[in-house]
Amino acid sequence: MIDIDRFVQEHQVEIETLVNLALNKAGRTVESKVASGEVSPRLTDVLPLLLYEALLTSTVATLRLAAEMFNDSMRSE
């Protein structure tokens, strides 16, 4: 059985770091696309791109953490 609460407590700093990295990466991507003129600086143009980039990066991080959680549970059984 996977104890999600324990895993989150044990990996809280790593999870917070991954969230911050995802948001920073999304912000840098949006900033570069606005600077290059690819996207206008209007909120209606920037927000979908920002959300996409944040979701893409955080999905990869979430999958990695889920694999680690699964592997930890397999080792403890």
Side-chain angles (χ1 to χ4, degrees), residues 22-42 45-51 53-54:
L23 293 174
N24 288 335
K25 182 181 181 298
R28 285 190 306 272
T29 300
V30 168
E31 183 180 44
S32 74
K33 290 189 182 278
V34 168
S36 71
E38 244 180 285
V39 176
S40 77
R42 293 189 324 238
D45 294 336
V46 169
L47 190 56
L49 178 60
L50 183 64
L51 290 173
E53 290 293 331

Side-chain angles (χ1 to χ4, degrees), residues 2-42:
I2 298 174
D3 186 350
I4 295 172
D5 290 334
R6 182 180 59 79
F7 183 85
V8 169
Q9 287 175 350
E10 290 174 357
H11 294 84
Q12 184 172 352
V13 172
E14 181 183 4
I15 293 167
E16 289 172 2
T17 300
L18 290 170
V19 168
N20 286 333
L21 289 172
L23 293 174
N24 288 335
K25 182 181 181 298
R28 285 190 306 272
T29 300
V30 168
E31 183 180 44
S32 74
K33 290 189 182 278
V34 168
S36 71
E38 244 180 285
V39 176
S40 77
R42 293 189 324 238

Side-chain angles (χ1 to χ4, degrees), residues 6-7 11 67-77:
R6 182 180 59 79
F7 183 85
H11 294 84
E68 187 177 330
M69 186 178 4
F70 178 76
N71 288 335
D72 285 353
S73 74
M74 295 303 287
R75 277 187 237 124
S76 65
E77 289 183 2

